[in-house]
Amino acid sequence: MQESGYFDKYSPISGVWDEMYGADTNVRDHYRKVIEYISGESADDLNKKEELAKRLFMSQGITFTVYNSGEGIEKIFPFDIIPRIITADEWAFVERGIKQRLTALNLFLKDVYHNQFIIKDGIVPIDIIYSCPHFLREMYQLQVPYDIYVHISGIDIIRDYDGTFYVLEDNLRTPSGVSYMLENREITKRLFPDLLPQCGVRSVTEYPTILYKNLLALSPRQISNPTIVLLSPGIYNSAYFEHTTLARLMGVELVEGRDLVVNNHKVYMKTTTGLQQVDVIYRRVDDEYLDPLVFNPGSMLGVAGIMGAYRKGNVAIVNAIGTGVADDKAVYVYVPEMIRYYLNEEPILKNVPTHQLGNADERDHVFQNINKMVIKKTNGSGGYGMLMGHAATEQEIEEYKLEIMKDPRNFIGQPTISLSSAPCYMQGELQPRRIDLRPYALYGPDGIEIVPGGLTRVALKEGSLVVNSSQGGGSKDTWVLA
């Protein structure tokens, strides 16, 4: 194939798995049609598409909030117009791995809140569990519908320099970003209307339908039209755009804590015609703010008495309360062993090698090799509070070590993974930028379903390995081919 223009100048990063180019600098087959199409477009055409994408994001209010930006409340989520492409075989592998992992994590949650066999058998240390702030004794021996705890997950997948897939994080509490996956696809349809069908790109639009079906199935009342609500912390939450989008796409009410009230262990929504009993709550409020009578007494985001209604089985809550114990980064270390323990299978997707800094030997190893390490808080998210050893100054490293020594259990260290790169359209040319992938899995009574795609996040700054939107990252559409 004759390459031209943008692709002649594209230079993959040395030693990095490039999603478009193989090691021999030949274009991978699944990118050929996109290259042919882009090569036929002038810079003016691509600039117009980029501008159109920005206008669409702006006009549709596709935004997120950066808490410490000092630039106001909301920002437009940066979007790159060149799609990331995944083959059918690659996707099948990732999908199998996520389903296996999610099955084991769910069994772990049921076990840890009931019999605790995995602790008694010495697979996961008891102190790791009981020191986790997301292990909630209020959930002990509480039955949840269909024994499903994690109804919605967004498991972060990365590729190393040799193309191997790894799980970086299990996001099992209130994973965000799926609305951007949906919006990215809608905008890409506008930019490249002919290209998607030509390439055989699989659809992701079924996500809200599957989610709604699963929520409906959880209703404690066997009635034809149960009431489902999406509980949001409100407009100042970083994912408020997503809350409004999902509620709109599913046709359910978007509520805040002040819109709900508990009476006689039942949850009601205030309406202009009186109180309406609520059957299922898709909550985007963290555990500690859900019920001021049980958790944080100062919370204004939750509903007093909601935990009592949950205990009585009068309302279903998605995801189940207490799921955070399974995505504590100190527990992440043990997920491969969970898979072997509960499923008697070898893990399909690998963990990134991880050192728990509560262990003195592992902490020494991390400190000695800190320039090659990424250190994270075990319950952090959004890229906040990380130390990238290779990019930190000596003073930053020393200050971070002091922070670690205050409570080593709350930190892990991982070797710096050289994330794969993909072409991005920047300043009129294609440049490689590092990426990851967050597919969204939905676990309902009929099993686990994953729409073929996910949110590909991009580290837009040259040389950066941090893809989080709160840290200057953006996103691009993810095409899974049939």
Side-chain angles (χ1 to χ4, degrees):
M1 184 183 69
Q2 181 65 43
E3 298 171 32
S4 62
Y6 318 103
F7 297 97
D8 290 341
K9 300 174 185 173
Y10 183 78
S11 179
I13 305 167
S14 177
V16 172
W17 179 274
D18 192 272
E19 300 288 339
M20 184 173 70
Y21 277 126
D24 52 3
T25 69
N26 286 329
V27 172
R28 301 185 195 278
D29 286 343
H30 52 287
Y31 267 90
R32 287 185 181 276
K33 284 187 178 176
V34 170
I35 287 178
E36 288 172 4
Y37 183 93
I38 300 291
S39 296
E41 297 283 288
S42 67
D44 190 42
D45 291 335
L46 291 184
N47 289 339
K48 286 179 180 174
K49 289 183 185 299
E50 190 177 41
E51 188 58 34
L52 173 61
K54 286 178 182 172
R55 286 207 310 273
L56 290 170
F57 269 79
M58 182 74 77
S59 64
Q60 296 176 31
I62 304 171
T63 59
F64 70 104
T65 302
V66 178
Y67 293 120
N68 60 356
S69 71
E71 299 174 5
I73 296 174
E74 294 179 295
K75 296 179 70 171
I76 299 296
F77 195 29
F79 173 75
D80 179 67
I81 62 173
I82 309 297
R84 183 256 184 91
I85 305 175
I86 298 174
T87 66
D89 287 343
E90 288 173 334
W91 177 255
F93 178 80
V94 169
E95 186 178 43
R96 283 201 314 276
I98 290 176
K99 287 183 175 179
Q100 180 196 53
R101 193 172 181 97
L102 195 51
T103 301
L105 285 164
N106 196 70
L107 289 169
F108 166 73
L109 282 162
K110 182 185 177 186
D111 188 19
V112 83
Y113 284 123
H114 288 82
N115 297 311
Q116 301 190 335
F117 290 131
I118 198 164
I119 297 174
K120 293 168 185 169
D121 288 341
I123 308 297
V124 180
I126 189 169
D127 60 323
I128 289 288
I129 300 298
Y130 285 175
S131 62
C132 174
H134 298 295
F135 174 75
L136 300 178
R137 287 166 175 77
E138 292 81 1
M139 286 296 293
Y140 190 65
Q141 298 294 355
L142 195 153
Q143 292 296 131
V144 299
Y146 302 98
D147 286 336
I148 299 172
Y149 289 79
V150 183
H151 309 85
I152 303 155
S153 63
I155 293 178
D156 290 344
I157 308 286
I158 58 172
R159 301 183 90 165
D160 201 358
Y161 68 94
D162 60 356
T164 303
F165 288 105
Y166 289 87
V167 173
L168 184 62
E169 291 185 7
D170 300 298
N171 296 294
L172 309 180
R173 282 171 277 172
T174 55
S176 63
V178 74
S179 60
Y180 303 119
M181 172 189 80
L182 298 170
E183 296 293 346
N184 287 353
R185 176 58 51 84
E186 291 305 309
I187 286 172
T188 307
K189 284 179 186 173
R190 298 276 299 272
L191 301 180
F192 306 108
D194 301 330
L195 196 52
L196 279 93
Q198 287 175 21
C199 291
V201 179
R202 295 172 66 185
S203 171
V204 297
T205 54
E206 300 80 12
Y207 181 90
T209 305
I210 299 170
L211 176 57
Y212 181 74
K213 176 195 72 174
N214 288 349
L215 296 176
L216 206 60
L218 297 174
S219 172
R221 289 193 297 170
Q222 299 301 307
I223 57 176
S224 60
N225 191 24
T227 301
I228 300 169
V229 300
L230 192 156
L231 175 62
S232 168
I235 63 168
Y236 296 109
N237 185 268
S238 63
Y240 187 68
F241 166 77
E242 176 152 302
H243 305 164
T244 61
T245 301
L246 289 176
R248 174 175 53 81
L249 292 174
M250 290 192 292
V252 305
E253 294 289 339
L254 177 68
V255 299
E256 297 180 23
R258 61 190 175 185
D259 300 318
L260 302 178
V261 63
V262 174
N263 184 25
N264 196 24
H265 300 299
K266 294 176 182 174
V267 181
Y268 294 90
M269 176 172 58
K270 301 170 190 171
T271 76
T272 54
T273 57
L275 297 179
Q276 179 178 343
Q277 187 173 344
V278 174
D279 302 284
V280 182
I281 299 174
Y282 174 23
R283 56 72 179 252
R284 298 296 294 259
V285 174
D286 291 339
D287 290 346
E288 62 180 303
Y289 300 107
L290 261 183
D291 188 340
L293 297 182
V294 179
F295 304 115
N296 184 341
S299 172
M300 304 290 285
L301 304 177
V303 187
I306 198 172
M307 190 67 194
Y310 187 50
R311 281 200 191 98
K312 290 281 187 182
N314 291 332
V315 68
I317 295 179
V318 173
N319 284 337
I321 297 169
T323 55
V325 66
D327 74 2
D328 183 299
K329 293 181 180 64
V331 174
Y332 160 93
V333 177
Y334 299 94
V335 176
E337 284 306 313
M338 287 180 202
I339 292 170
R340 297 185 185 100
Y341 182 74
Y342 292 120
L343 306 179
N344 196 28
E345 298 173 1
E346 280 301 306
I348 296 170
L349 289 169
K350 296 180 178 181
N351 264 23
V352 174
T354 302
H355 304 279
Q356 220 297 312
L357 302 195
N359 180 304
D361 291 339
E362 296 196 42
R363 187 169 65 248
D364 288 345
H365 172 78
V366 169
F367 280 3
Q368 288 170 16
N369 297 278
I370 202 160
N371 292 326
K372 303 173 187 173
M373 293 282 175
V374 178
I375 304 179
K376 305 175 184 175
K377 293 181 177 177
T378 52
N379 291 294
S381 62
Y384 293 103
M386 286 197 310
L387 178 82
M388 308 287 287
H390 70 283
T393 65
E394 287 299 319
Q395 182 179 351
E396 288 170 336
I397 288 173
E398 291 308 313
E399 289 174 355
Y400 206 89
K401 282 181 177 177
L402 291 175
E403 187 67 22
I404 291 169
M405 294 311 297
K406 291 177 184 174
D407 192 356
R409 186 269 182 221
N410 284 337
F411 294 86
I412 58 164
Q414 296 174 324
T416 306
I417 299 292
S418 184
L419 305 183
S420 65
S421 62
C424 295
Y425 186 69
M426 314 190 83
Q427 288 89 47
E429 59 184 46
L430 291 181
Q431 299 178 21
R433 291 290 184 271
R434 308 303 184 96
I435 58 171
D436 77 349
L437 175 66
R438 178 177 290 182
Y440 296 90
L442 295 169
Y443 197 167
D446 297 331
I448 300 171
E449 296 176 80
I450 310 173
V451 295
L455 181 66
T456 291
R457 300 184 298 177
V458 184
L460 292 173
K461 294 177 187 170
E462 187 173 7
S464 174
L465 294 171
V466 183
V467 298
N468 304 77
S469 56
S470 53
Q471 310 297 316
S475 74
K476 54 169 65 216
D477 195 11
T478 307
W479 290 7
V480 174
L481 305 187

